[in-house]
Amino acid sequence: MKATTRLFILLALLAAAVFFLYGEPLAGLVSATLHREDSSHGIFVPFLSGYFVWLKRDRLRKAQLRCSFLPGGVLAAAAFILLYSAHGSKEIMLPILSFLLLTAGLTLTLFGWQLCKEVIFPIFFLVTMVPLPATVYSRLAEWMRSLTTAGCVGFTQLLHLPIYRDGFTLYLPNISLLVAPSCSGVRYLLSFFVFSLAYAFVLKKSAIARILVVLASVPIAIIAGVLRLSSIALAAYYIGPFMAGHKPHIIVSWLVFGVVLFSAITVDQLASRIGRQSTV
């Protein structure tokens, strides 16, 4: 069977699955990605997955195609069991995971393991588009809220800023700032985690290096959250209370995200270069 025929069968089966089984959760995923601020990073995920596949294009051309009915069928069966277990739930995590598992199972069935192993990460990377369950998200938000608020107060006090904290309210002589759950830095945490997965997959070769990069996304997100709150507090005090408004707030948030992301990549690249030179 030719590769184009296998691909056509795969796409036809997935289209049927979407039409009969997965239409509602996939529509919910698209809606969440476009309209929920906590899922805004999901817009970039399909493009990253496509880029991962493109990087593997030479390996994919050379892969030996061989149908693997038994292991592929097991994955497909697991996908349907997962979908059935999610019946009646309002969360879309399990249905989307089921769809990705079905995609992997059909790919394995039609193309074999040699090709499937090259696309397995790009397929399951798509799960990072899915919004976290509300309870998990709220707990992460509160955890980040506590850390970033405490870090902001400590950091700005080192800079001799006259700041006082009462719970999650920060008092300055000219303004009081409430650190809401949406300002906790949890979006930084999710975004840095997703991009660390992409960075590790593309630029790191060993499993240990990839794990370290992904783990590093947590302290990096916390640092970014602290710098963001601190920047807003400093700007509100030294420039004016209007700097805590919506538009300056957004500008500061994106600026801090970009600076921290660029700095983290730069530090990692320098450390990798020094490590390579030391082994020569």
Side-chain angles (χ1 to χ4, degrees):
M1 190 185 305
K2 294 182 179 180
T4 53
T5 304
R6 295 170 191 259
L7 181 60
F8 176 79
I9 294 173
L10 173 64
L11 295 177
L13 290 174
L14 289 177
V18 170
F19 183 80
F20 290 106
L21 297 173
Y22 296 99
E24 185 175 346
L26 287 173
L29 176 60
V30 172
S31 177
T33 301
L34 295 177
H35 300 111
R36 284 178 55 172
E37 292 183 349
D38 59 307
S39 305
S40 57
H41 63 273
I43 296 173
F44 303 98
V45 171
F47 297 100
L48 289 171
S49 285
Y51 177 63
F52 298 156
V53 174
W54 183 79
L55 290 176
K56 298 284 188 176
R57 62 192 183 282
D58 292 334
R59 288 177 175 269
L60 294 176
R61 292 193 192 101
K62 297 176 182 178
Q64 183 179 2
L65 303 183
R66 180 179 298 172
C67 293
S68 301
F69 292 105
L70 181 58
V74 170
L75 288 181
F80 291 127
I81 292 172
L82 193 61
L83 181 64
Y84 177 78
S85 66
H87 182 70
S89 173
K90 294 182 180 180
E91 297 290 348
I92 62 174
M93 174 67 80
L94 288 182
I96 297 301
L97 187 57
S98 169
F99 178 71
L100 298 178
L101 193 60
L102 178 64
T103 302
L106 293 175
T107 302
L108 181 57
T109 299
L110 293 168
F111 292 92
W113 173 245
Q114 193 172 358
L115 183 142
C116 186
K117 71 179 181 179
E118 302 296 341
V119 298
I120 198 72
F121 179 81
I123 289 174
F124 283 101
F125 181 74
L126 293 170
V127 79
T128 60
M129 293 178 65
V130 182
L132 292 175
T135 54
V136 176
Y137 183 85
S138 62
R139 289 177 182 176
L140 277 178
E142 284 302 305
W143 178 68
M144 286 291 293
R145 191 184 184 194
S146 298
L147 290 175
T148 55
T149 303
C152 169
V153 172
F155 179 68
T156 52
Q157 285 180 344
L158 287 176
L159 300 177
H160 304 291
L161 187 72
I163 190 170
Y164 169 74
R165 175 187 178 185
D166 183 13
F168 292 111
T169 303
L170 306 179
Y171 293 96
L172 295 165
N174 59 339
I175 190 175
S176 61
L177 303 172
L178 173 65
V179 184
S182 59
C183 300
S184 63
V186 66
R187 296 172 191 168
Y188 277 171
L189 180 63
L190 296 176
S191 297
F192 278 114
F193 176 76
V194 170
F195 285 112
S196 73
L197 288 173
Y199 183 84
F201 178 77
V202 174
L203 296 175
K204 300 299 179 181
K205 303 304 179 183
S206 69
I208 294 178
R210 288 174 172 173
I211 291 172
L212 289 176
V213 166
V214 174
L215 291 178
S217 67
V218 177
I220 289 172
I222 295 171
I223 292 171
V226 170
L227 290 177
R228 174 180 163 277
L229 286 180
S230 301
S231 299
I232 292 171
L234 290 165
Y237 179 69
Y238 287 108
I239 300 176
F242 71 92
M243 289 301 297
H246 179 70
K247 288 185 178 179
H249 191 101
I250 296 299
I251 293 172
V252 170
S253 297
W254 277 104
L255 183 61
V256 170
F257 178 82
V259 169
V260 172
L261 181 62
F262 177 78
S263 300
I265 292 174
T266 301
V267 169
D268 178 74
Q269 290 297 307
L270 288 174
S272 299
R273 187 178 305 171
I274 293 172
R276 288 193 297 268
Q277 290 176 351
S278 65
T279 57
V280 175

